Amino acid sequence: MDHVISARDLRVRDRAKTLVGPVTFSLEHGSTTGLCGPSGAGKSTVLRALVDLLPAGLTRDGELEVQGRPIAPGKGDADLRTKVVLVPQTPVVFGGSILDNALFGLRHLLRASREVMLERAEQALLEAGLWQEVKDRLGESAQTLSAGQRQRLCLGRALALEPAALLLDEPTSALDERSRDTVEESVAALRGRRTVLLVSHDPAQVERLCDRTVLLRPPAAVEPLAVAAAS
Amino acid sequence: MTRVRPPAAPDVLKRPRPSRWVWPWMLAGAVSLGAVLLALLGYLGSGVAGGEVAWGELLTESMWNPSGGVFGGLAMIYGSAVVCLIALVLAVPVSWAAAVAVSEYLPPRVAGILRTSVELLAAVPSIVYGLIGIMVVRPLIAGAAGVPGGDSLLAAGLVLAVMIMPTMVAVSVDALAAVPGRYREAAYAMGLTRREVVRSAVLPLARSGMRAAVLLGLARALGEAIAVFLVVGRADGRLPGSFGELLDSLVRPGQTLTTKLAGPEPVLAGTSGPWFAAVCALGLVLLALVALATVWGNRGGGRKATGGRSRHPQAGRMRVPLDRAVGGLRIAALLLPGALLVGMLGILAVRGSSAFTPSFWVTPATGAAGGGVSDQILGTLLLVVTTGLISLPLGFGAGILLGLYAKARTAKVLQTLTVVVGGTPTILLGLAGFVIFCTLMGWGRSWLAGALVLVPVVVPMVALPTCGRVRSMPPETTEAALALGLSRAQYVRSVVVPYTWPATLTGLLLGLARAAGETAPLLFTATVFFGAPALPDGVVEAPVQALPTHIFTLSQDSGDPQAVAQAWGSAMVLVLITAVLLSAAVALRNRFEGERWTT
């Protein structure tokens, strides 16, 4: 089982109308894959389709396998989403402390002693490159973190679940340049160890961070127009 | 031929209209709110000062005997507490679960319909709930507990539970819907089940709003006079001594603070002396309790980021089955409010079927309980329209003042004031209005006194949404307007007012829907059961007939089938009138309120 996720002819539709795709790709274990495409092609929507978090009214089409198991459209459940974890574009920080946030998903899945939980949180935050900055103030409100720190906290709490694959939706688009560099460093550090699908509109970023690239074109219905305009 | 004047060259530097009226207008709104509270406190305070009140006796003695000079209020405080407790215990769990189901579980379209019907239920006048209490709840309790009549604290608690449930569901749904969708998405993306998402991501953010829902429900239950009046039995001095007696006391008649004040005593007690002072002291106790609940409920949602408190006993296995079970329970919680809605409308439509014959709307009443209700409809409309005309400018002005100067300390005080006025038990407004307009000013029973007494009910309902809307204005708009050189007053006139009016109008319509069903403040001040012309001429000694009073009087004559039929018909007419006002408000709101993202 070398493919963590494989999708064939994946589309997202609003009734009969194809909004996104078709796109075919597979994520190899330990690889970082970039998902590129012009804006409006539906890159973020593809990520949501993979974990069945599409907005109401939209449906997924085509074949999807996660760890060799086929996932029927609309059948993605909480179990799927603990294996394939999506990190949304804008960092969402919940109420409570930094530690509460780092354990946000994990504490629903794992019943363990406080020490074990703390250890898992520490590992995850280390992996996300945030540990050094927050280790002395884990009890402080997570609202005190900067934007870049928040994004790495979101990355960390996703990593704490030990997911089979991580879906990153434009993790740096809401950040300034310096925070972008820190987040990029953290993502780069995952290379080879975690399976990552990274959505980005920035080709240079994909170049820097990814082993390979998947190109998402706008749906076929739009393409002839673009071709006509070009000729 | 008239000469056509050439158009004058625009004088750019001269401001066309200085909009000087804006300030007095906004201040008038704020002052009117203060005046209401002052009048209320003045009335109660002077009453208390007019004869010495033995506060110790009032709060610890259960006997109330005016002719013997004993004024103990403990039994009434006990009655109020028990009635509210029953109402909350029954209504809170169901309302919260139903709100979560509507907001988090149902598809948006279904949820929208349910939200609207819940709001419709919340606007049903309390007199209608009282009528249902008399005709349906009372016989049920009489049968089940084997007590004659069925007038009891339990009946009052049940009626209140049904009455406050829609308000609590509506406010809780609003609190849940205000949680941004991205929190839900982030939590789902971490592999949480729906139950876990609700519990860990949604409820912590909605908690303060949902607590506010309970306190608003409590304030409403504490301050409700008429619905309780009709079913509680109004027996003085009942205070249980043991636990067995306590259980027994639930199915026996009792007395609450509001029902004491809604009875004949405030009028019989005159305007001074120990009896009047004791009545006023009861009013003060009631006002303080309700104000406390209202202010607490409206306290801004200061979300503290507290650590700790993260118990998650059901981590690991069984997540999915548990999720399904809890989801099923939450959806099931909708059955009760749903059944209540269907049941109430069903009872109303069947027993009030006379309301569906046009002649019932256009013929005047004949005898005690015959004919139609055209005079009552006209009277109600007169009161509502007058109240609306007075309240709209005052509430609009106060709301804009509150919204624009939100940060200033005075604005905070003013807002608390508005909230307190909005939560004031209407029976107290009625009593104060009776003393001020009808006695001191010598108007006697007058429609204008009734309309004025209803103004404090409506003004906060106009001011608070207006204020909220002003605060939600994008700051760039303000900046752009001021950067163009508008004065503050001009900015209010040409930017704030056009942006705010839909919220104001919605508030006004909701407020009028409530005013149309108010009974308690009108009984002493403005309405008579019969013998008034359809439309009054003059102000002094010019009462009207109104639907709520009509229902109130007829429903107490529950032995006469014709009176009962007439009461149901009138209730249906009243519900239809409020429904029209409310659907206009909902339609308006839907036009200007943006779409919400639900999962």
Side-chain angles (χ1 to χ4, degrees):
Chain A
M1 179 183 69
D2 47 355
H3 288 163
V4 181
I5 297 181
S6 68
R8 191 176 313 144
D9 285 335
L10 191 81
R11 291 166 211 259
V12 176
R13 294 186 319 177
D14 183 1
R15 293 190 199 90
K17 194 177 156 205
T18 301
L19 298 180
V20 178
V23 61
T24 301
F25 61 88
S26 50
L27 304 186
E28 276 165 34
H29 190 79
S31 70
T32 301
T33 308
L35 182 62
C36 304
S39 47
K43 302 185 289 291
S44 302
T45 311
V46 168
L47 293 195
R48 278 162 185 74
L50 291 179
V51 289
D52 263 340
L53 277 180
L54 288 170
L58 302 190
T59 47
R60 168 166 67 79
D61 217 13
E63 288 171 35
L64 173 66
E65 285 186 3
V66 172
Q67 292 181 321
R69 223 184 74 213
I71 309 282
K75 292 289 173 195
D77 55 3
D79 280 342
L80 168 71
R81 291 191 281 265
T82 54
K83 286 192 203 110
V84 181
V85 177
L86 166 75
V87 179
Q89 184 171 6
T90 28
V92 173
V93 162
F94 295 98
S97 65
I98 294 171
L99 185 65
D100 286 343
N101 269 278
L103 295 175
F104 185 83
L106 188 64
R107 67 190 179 193
H108 287 285
L109 297 176
L110 185 71
R111 191 172 199 175
S113 67
R114 197 176 154 73
E115 288 71 37
V116 174
M117 296 295 265
L118 276 173
E119 205 175 302
R120 289 281 292 264
E122 180 182 341
Q123 273 171 9
L125 291 178
L126 262 174
E127 205 174 346
L130 188 64
W131 179 250
Q132 292 303 327
E133 290 157 61
V134 299
K135 65 179 176 187
D136 299 322
R137 51 181 189 128
L138 288 173
E140 276 177 40
S141 163
Q143 311 286 341
T144 59
L145 297 176
S146 74
Q149 288 172 324
R150 285 179 192 206
Q151 190 60 283
R152 280 177 286 150
L153 180 61
C154 294
L155 191 62
R157 71 178 180 214
L159 287 167
L161 303 177
E162 308 266 341
L166 206 55
L167 312 179
L168 306 181
D169 187 4
E170 305 251 15
T172 60
S173 68
L175 305 178
D176 63 75
E177 214 164 305
R178 264 183 59 196
S179 314
R180 194 192 67 194
D181 291 344
T182 56
V183 171
E184 276 195 8
E185 272 171 38
S186 307
V187 175
L190 301 176
R191 205 163 169 175
R193 289 188 292 140
R194 298 278 184 186
T195 313
V196 177
L197 180 61
L198 172 76
V199 162
S200 177
H201 64 271
D202 177 6
Q205 184 177 51
V206 173
E207 185 86 1
R208 282 196 296 276
L209 298 175
C210 302
D211 306 316
R212 44 191 287 265
T213 311
V214 176
L215 185 66
L216 182 66
R217 296 174 195 283
V222 183
E223 229 164 16
L225 266 178
V227 171
S231 61
Chain B
M1 284 285 283
T2 47
R3 263 205 279 154
V4 183
R5 257 191 291 168
D11 183 350
V12 211
L13 292 176
K14 197 174 140 202
R15 296 200 179 284
R17 270 194 273 165
S19 305
R20 275 203 206 97
W21 49 272
V22 162
W23 287 105
W25 170 53
M26 290 183 347
L27 286 175
V31 167
S32 71
L33 284 168
V36 168
L37 214 58
L38 272 183
L40 208 56
L41 289 175
Y43 153 71
L44 294 173
S46 68
V48 168
E52 280 139 47
V53 175
W55 285 100
E57 185 186 81
L58 190 81
L59 297 177
T60 55
E61 168 66 48
S62 64
M63 188 152 89
W64 179 272
N65 181 3
S67 52
V70 185
F71 300 105
L74 190 59
M76 292 165 228
I77 296 173
Y78 166 76
S80 284
V82 165
V83 164
C84 291
L85 201 68
I86 295 175
L88 286 184
V89 164
L90 294 175
V92 169
V94 178
S95 312
W96 277 355
V100 170
V102 168
S103 169
E104 309 297 320
Y105 283 78
L106 296 178
R109 186 171 299 193
V110 183
I113 296 171
L114 278 176
R115 252 180 107 180
T116 311
S117 20
V118 162
E119 276 159 8
L120 177 72
L121 266 182
V124 169
S126 59
I127 179 75
V128 175
Y129 286 102
L131 184 62
I132 289 174
I134 268 199
M135 304 298 173
V136 183
V137 179
R138 236 170 37 136
L140 274 180
I141 290 186
V147 286
D151 285 314
S152 57
L153 294 174
L154 182 60
L158 282 173
V159 169
L160 284 180
V162 175
M163 198 184 95
I164 63 176
M165 212 182 285
T167 312
M168 292 194 341
V169 175
V171 178
S172 303
V173 169
D174 284 345
L176 289 165
V179 175
R182 60 199 164 90
Y183 284 89
R184 293 186 185 87
E185 199 199 38
Y188 278 119
M190 305 278 299
L192 268 58
T193 61
R194 197 190 287 255
R195 188 186 64 86
E196 289 162 350
V197 170
V198 169
R199 183 175 160 164
S200 307
V202 180
L203 287 184
L205 287 173
R207 197 185 294 141
S208 67
M210 292 177 78
R211 192 198 55 197
V214 172
L215 288 164
L216 289 183
L218 174 63
R220 196 150 174 226
L222 263 175
E224 175 55 38
I226 292 303
V228 180
F229 186 92
L230 291 173
V231 296
V232 83
R234 303 197 307 284
D236 275 326
R238 303 285 184 88
L239 195 67
S242 66
F243 185 69
E245 279 180 43
L246 192 145
L247 287 183
D248 190 53
S249 82
L250 297 183
V251 293
R252 306 276 166 202
Q255 181 84 280
T256 70
L257 289 167
T258 48
T259 54
K260 176 54 94 182
L261 293 171
E265 283 196 38
V267 179
L268 293 178
T271 50
S272 62
W275 192 6
F276 185 64
V279 170
C280 287
L282 287 181
L284 270 182
V285 170
L286 177 65
L287 183 62
L289 287 175
V290 175
L292 208 69
T294 326
V295 171
W296 200 12
N298 280 280
R299 231 172 20 155
R303 287 195 299 274
K304 278 170 283 172
T306 44
R309 227 192 65 79
S310 48
R311 289 173 295 111
H312 292 273
Q314 67 302 310
R317 309 255 159 260
M318 298 294 289
R319 289 173 73 219
V320 174
L322 193 65
D323 182 54
R324 291 210 183 109
V326 171
L329 269 178
R330 280 178 176 148
I331 302 266
L334 276 174
L335 288 177
L336 189 53
L340 281 175
L341 174 73
V342 173
M344 271 182 51
L345 290 182
I347 290 177
L348 266 174
V350 170
R351 303 185 87 169
S353 56
S354 53
F356 299 115
T357 48
S359 63
F360 191 71
W361 291 66
V362 294
T363 47
T366 49
V373 288
S374 68
D375 291 353
Q376 284 77 10
I377 294 176
L378 273 178
T380 299
L381 289 181
L382 174 71
L383 289 172
V384 167
V385 169
T386 315
T387 306
L389 287 177
I390 304 171
S391 313
L392 178 62
L394 293 178
F396 204 175
I400 288 185
L401 189 72
L402 280 176
L404 280 182
Y405 300 98
K407 277 161 220 135
R409 216 183 160 73
T410 37
K412 270 192 190 149
V413 174
L414 262 179
Q415 182 164 16
T416 313
L417 200 83
T418 315
V419 167
V420 170
V421 170
T424 305
T426 51
I427 181 74
L428 291 178
L429 294 175
L431 291 175
F434 169 71
V435 168
I436 294 168
F437 298 121
C438 307
T439 312
L440 291 179
M441 292 174 68
W443 288 1
R445 279 192 192 206
S446 159
W447 61 276
L448 187 58
L452 286 173
V453 162
L454 289 178
V455 166
V457 175
V458 181
V459 166
M461 295 184 73
V462 178
L464 292 173
T466 305
C467 161
R469 180 84 173 151
V470 171
R471 284 187 192 164
S472 75
M473 269 178 62
E476 306 87 62
T477 321
T478 310
E479 209 178 68
L482 295 180
L484 285 173
L486 267 66
S487 72
R488 266 328 251 201
Q490 287 170 327
Y491 155 73
V492 168
R493 195 194 71 208
S494 20
V495 180
V496 179
V497 170
Y499 182 82
T500 320
W501 72 264
T504 311
L505 214 52
T506 312
L508 179 72
L509 291 171
L510 289 175
L512 292 184
R514 220 184 121 196
E518 277 298 341
T519 317
L522 299 181
L523 286 176
F524 305 124
T525 54
T527 52
V528 287
F529 176 53
F530 64 89
L535 286 174
D537 47 346
V539 169
V540 177
E541 289 296 344
V544 287
Q545 301 165 68
L547 286 169
T549 315
H550 202 59
I551 305 167
F552 180 72
T553 317
L554 288 174
S555 65
Q556 286 173 297
D557 195 3
S558 54
D560 175 5
Q562 209 189 347
V564 171
Q566 196 79 354
W568 283 109
S570 313
M572 190 66 218
V573 170
L574 187 57
V575 168
L576 287 176
I577 291 178
T578 44
V580 167
L581 284 170
L582 194 82
S583 16
V586 169
L588 250 178
R589 192 195 57 194
N590 290 350
R591 266 192 75 170
F592 77 81
E593 190 187 53
E595 271 181 38
R596 282 216 186 85
W597 197 89
T598 29
T599 320

